[in-house]
Amino acid sequence: MKFRKAVITLLVCTIVSLTAGEAGAESGKTSLHPGNEWSRQSAYPSPAKPKIKWSVDLGKDVSNMVIDSEGVIYVVSKYNFSRMLAAVSPEGRVKWRVELQGDSNGLMLYQDNTIILSTYDNDGSKINSTISAYATDGALIWENKYSDFNSFSRDAYVSPDGLIVLTGSRTQSVQNKEEARIVGITAEGEPAFDVTTQLNYEYISVSSPIIAENTIYFTASKGIKRQISKRTSVIDFNDGKLIRMDKAGKIIGSTAYKGEYNFTPPVYTNKTLYVQTNEALHLFDSGGKVIRKISAPAKAQSNNGVGPTIGVNGTYIFGQRVYDAKGKMVWSLSPFDVPFSEDYSVNTVLLDKNQNALLIYGTGVKSVNPKTKKTNWKLPLYQNIASPPVLGKDGTLYVGGTTKLFAIK
């Protein structure tokens, strides 16, 4: 069902834009940070001697943000036991708040004037998901509701031409097995396609999608239930496939690879696709051909929910470790590879203009020089940090915590 409440063009969706410039191409303005996919690299320098410029209380779990060309920050958090979308000025003033139904996945800014948001409700047996479009004044433009999902990928994707793609899984009615489901939506909220793959597994894990070179990419992996005691079982995911689909919803190819827990979406940069699993980073060309595999030791395995960071000089950061362009390990972000130590990176690593790595380490943020392996600075914030770090064009660093959005200058 679809509702239209405003004329202003704003899309709330889980978009991943390959570059910030694409998001404002038609509007003439460029978003500073249109989505989390490229919080990994920034064109702006980070603070040299950081201090908290301001903080604003937004309830709980400030987990996702985008920033428009005027520096307004649009943030998702929890508020009064529900999710909330809020707009915060560059000075730290809350401009408006909108209460959301259900839990929130991803957030993206399309054409610098439309917020696209994905939310979901779990009724215990099925997951009902919603894609919504909001104007930058908080007015709801349209929303589409989708039922019959077993799982719903964290982020949808919006291409520069306005195609929104949502992935998840559902039960195949005849064989009672799970299959991948891919939904396409236009920028106006109209259906483009709703298809499933022929991968019918007992359990399936489907990543969020990305769009690159006019092709939709996502991964799917096979899940097998394993009994670990008389009363307890776990599902192991392995045997991944990188799936390629055209923008009409037709599958045009797939490449198999080995690797556990490939939950994060592919990353595309340098004409290369990077697919992360629990113990390796797989590199493919845009046609799905394998280029290289970089393996991480078991004790340095990656955080399944945090994707890789790729530097402009070919450096890879994944699994708490830094690798050079040839795949040789340089050093560990977490000394001695101690899981969840004080220095353990718990979110996406951001590289600033000078290729300094900005890391969330649990209750604060720090800057590290990957070349010298030395810490530039460390700033405690005294609460758990839920969002990836984001840089504004004036060098302000934004991070979201347990209750607050912080601006660090």
Side-chain angles (χ1 to χ4, degrees):
M1 184 181 297
K2 181 165 59 183
F3 305 87
R4 298 183 185 276
K5 291 189 177 180
V7 179
I8 304 173
T9 305
L10 169 68
L11 250 134
V12 180
C13 177
T14 334
I15 298 177
V16 177
S17 179
L18 296 181
T19 65
E22 290 177 339
E26 294 183 13
S27 65
K29 295 182 179 180
T30 301
S31 301
L32 298 182
H33 178 63
N36 277 342
E37 176 74 2
W38 287 110
S39 63
R40 294 175 169 91
Q41 296 180 30
S42 177
Y44 314 119
S46 59
K49 297 180 179 180
K51 294 181 180 179
I52 297 175
K53 181 180 177 182
W54 52 256
S55 65
V56 57
D57 196 322
L58 294 175
K60 186 180 179 182
D61 295 340
V62 184
S63 58
N64 214 336
M65 74 184 84
V66 292
I67 306 175
D68 68 15
S69 59
E70 303 299 321
V72 177
I73 309 122
Y74 304 93
V75 191
V76 171
S77 64
K78 287 184 179 179
Y79 191 75
N80 290 338
F81 305 103
S82 64
R83 283 288 178 178
M84 178 186 70
L85 173 67
V88 180
S89 73
E91 296 75 36
R93 178 177 60 87
V94 177
K95 301 178 67 175
W96 51 259
R97 304 173 191 251
V98 174
E99 187 172 336
L100 306 172
Q101 299 300 315
D103 211 339
S104 173
N105 279 329
L107 176 69
M108 198 105 191
L109 191 59
Y110 174 68
Q111 297 294 342
D112 198 51
N113 61 6
T114 302
I115 304 166
I116 300 212
L117 174 71
S118 58
T119 57
Y120 66 95
D121 287 304
N122 190 342
D123 65 6
S125 59
K126 296 291 182 182
I127 295 177
N128 302 310
S129 59
T130 302
I131 295 289
S132 308
Y134 287 82
T136 48
D137 64 357
L140 175 64
I141 301 170
W142 58 259
E143 66 178 15
N144 288 357
K145 295 182 179 294
Y146 300 90
S147 59
D148 194 25
F149 274 97
N150 292 350
S151 66
F152 176 48
S153 295
R154 179 179 177 194
D155 293 326
Y157 190 101
V158 180
S159 67
D161 60 5
L163 176 64
I164 304 163
V165 181
L166 167 71
T167 55
S169 69
R170 70 176 177 189
T171 301
Q172 202 269 356
S173 57
V174 177
Q175 299 179 7
N176 199 33
K177 291 187 176 182
E178 291 189 345
E179 58 188 356
R181 181 184 181 187
I182 307 95
V183 176
I185 312 157
T186 70
E188 295 72 35
E190 301 296 335
F193 56 81
D194 189 344
V195 299
T196 57
T197 67
Q198 298 301 310
L199 300 173
N200 296 323
Y201 298 148
E202 183 179 3
Y203 302 97
I204 192 170
S205 170
V206 185
S207 78
S208 297
I210 65 168
I211 300 178
E213 305 289 345
N214 285 317
T215 303
I216 301 166
Y217 298 93
F218 62 94
T219 65
S221 60
K222 184 178 182 179
I224 298 176
K225 182 182 288 188
R226 178 168 56 89
Q227 207 72 29
I228 58 176
S229 70
K230 289 183 178 180
R231 296 184 178 182
T232 307
S233 62
V234 296
I235 300 173
D236 293 329
F237 289 96
N238 210 323
D239 296 328
K241 287 184 181 292
L242 173 66
I243 299 173
R244 295 176 289 126
M245 175 180 284
D246 66 23
K247 293 170 75 175
K250 179 182 178 181
I251 294 177
I252 56 178
S254 66
T255 306
Y257 60 93
K258 290 288 185 180
E260 292 183 318
Y261 304 108
N262 54 322
F263 297 150
T264 59
V267 173
Y268 180 79
T269 186
N270 304 327
K271 298 188 179 299
T272 303
L273 285 153
Y274 300 84
V275 174
Q276 177 176 296
T277 61
N278 200 41
E279 75 292 340
L281 187 64
H282 303 258
L283 281 64
F284 302 85
D285 66 17
S286 58
K289 182 180 178 180
V290 177
I291 299 174
R292 182 184 301 160
K293 175 183 176 181
I294 301 172
S295 298
K299 63 180 180 179
Q301 289 179 347
S302 60
N303 183 334
N304 295 327
V306 178
T309 297
I310 298 93
V312 295
N313 56 359
T315 299
Y316 314 112
I317 302 176
F318 83 105
Q320 302 298 318
R321 291 192 169 193
V322 180
Y323 297 81
D324 65 18
K326 295 182 179 180
K328 180 182 178 182
M329 195 203 81
V330 178
W331 65 297
S332 173
L333 301 173
S334 176
F336 309 110
D337 297 313
V338 178
F340 307 109
S341 68
E342 183 179 342
D343 295 303
Y344 190 89
S345 177
V346 298
N347 216 311
T348 305
V349 177
L350 167 65
L351 292 170
D352 72 3
K353 180 180 180 180
N354 300 314
Q355 297 298 286
N356 290 307
L358 298 167
L359 297 88
I360 302 300
Y361 64 85
T363 58
V365 60
K366 66 178 180 178
S367 170
V368 177
N369 186 323
K371 290 183 178 180
T372 64
K373 308 177 186 179
K374 294 183 178 179
T375 299
N376 299 319
W377 51 260
K378 194 170 185 177
L379 182 66
L381 297 174
Y382 305 106
Q383 59 179 258
N384 291 327
I385 306 302
S387 78
V390 177
L391 275 171
K393 64 181 179 182
D394 63 349
T396 299
L397 177 65
Y398 299 97
V399 292
T402 305
T403 60
K404 294 182 179 181
L405 172 66
F406 294 90
I408 299 163
K409 193 74 171 71

